Amino acid sequence: MSINGTLISYYFICKTKLWLHANRLNLEDNSEDVRIGKVLHEIQEQKTKKAEIKIDNVKIDKITKEYLVEFKKSDSDPEAVKWQVLLYLYKLKQKGIDRKGKIDYHEKNHNTKTEILELDEQNEKELLRVLEAIESLINLPKPPASKFENKCKKCAYYEYCFI
Ligand code: SF4
């Protein structure tokens, strides 16, 4: 399976969620958070007058001369976003395009924050290890056991896991 930005971010958010999503148990279309994310995304696209750029199976928000830019509505999962952007930088590099990553957080309360990151030798090796681990995980015959955490309350799979 070709790993996209959603799958790699779920690896860091919740491995049960990763398995459920990868195995097509998709309950997320009705989640309010997912809908808000989509709307914010559309607004941001209109502001920048640029549509997403699609490379293989990943959608990139924006590319400038120096940066690949990812827009986010919250900084609640910074590790997941970091690896998502590193995956995009890796996919670009495979096409012969070298960029740094820029994550622009635009939160609901109008707070904004920017983070810059680079794909270096060390995190590229780690990325390849993570991609292998994701492949193994989604090929498991059943999902890893659910563990309740605060974030579960907002997760589209909450009912599946706990009710
Ligand atoms: S409800 Fe919690 S354990 Fe279940 S998939 Fe969502 S985040 Fe993971």
Side-chain angles (χ1 to χ4, degrees):
M1 179 181 225
S2 186
I3 310 297
N4 62 20
T6 302
L7 291 175
I8 197 167
S9 67
Y10 285 0
Y11 179 79
F12 291 95
I13 292 168
C14 170
K15 292 179 175 54
T16 310
K17 186 170 181 163
L18 166 62
W19 190 98
L20 292 170
H21 183 83
N23 286 283
R24 309 267 180 240
L25 198 64
N26 197 344
L27 307 175
E28 294 169 288
D29 288 347
N30 293 323
S31 153
E32 189 187 3
D33 258 27
V34 171
R35 281 203 308 273
I36 291 170
K38 280 183 183 158
V39 170
L40 285 174
H41 218 82
E42 281 163 19
I43 292 168
Q44 193 60 46
E45 273 180 16
Q46 284 162 12
K47 276 189 193 165
T48 57
K49 303 265 184 222
K50 286 191 185 207
E52 287 176 328
I53 299 146
K54 201 155 188 256
I55 296 182
D56 298 336
N57 63 337
V58 303
K59 286 180 188 167
I60 293 167
D61 289 343
K62 186 177 167 184
I63 294 184
T64 68
K65 272 188 181 171
E66 202 176 350
Y67 296 107
L68 173 155
V69 186
E70 177 72 12
F71 298 112
K72 288 290 169 193
K73 70 182 173 80
S74 138
D75 66 351
S76 58
D77 294 299
E79 192 66 7
V81 178
K82 170 186 149 184
W83 288 100
Q84 190 179 354
V85 170
L86 289 172
L87 172 66
Y88 296 168
L89 294 176
Y90 176 72
K91 297 238 178 200
L92 275 188
K93 188 179 165 189
Q94 287 182 313
K95 305 266 176 206
I97 304 166
D98 281 314
R99 291 288 188 279
K100 291 179 197 159
K102 183 194 268 191
I103 306 165
D104 265 345
Y105 292 102
H106 294 259
E107 298 187 77
K108 284 181 217 168
N109 54 10
H110 301 298
N111 277 348
T112 58
K113 189 170 79 173
T114 298
E115 278 179 28
I116 305 292
L117 71 166
E118 288 186 58
L119 183 70
D120 57 24
E121 198 179 323
Q122 194 183 341
N123 56 30
E124 185 171 331
K125 265 192 202 157
E126 180 62 12
L127 174 70
L128 295 177
R129 194 198 62 74
V130 166
L131 295 178
E132 270 181 32
I134 292 172
E135 286 281 358
S136 307
L137 202 145
I138 62 187
N139 285 324
L140 291 174
K142 58 182 188 175
S146 323
K147 272 186 282 179
F148 183 80
E149 293 181 44
N150 269 343
K151 63 187 168 195
C152 297
K153 291 178 199 161
K154 284 189 164 184
C155 177
Y157 294 107
Y158 177 78
E159 288 189 14
Y160 176 91
C161 289
F162 299 110
I163 293 184

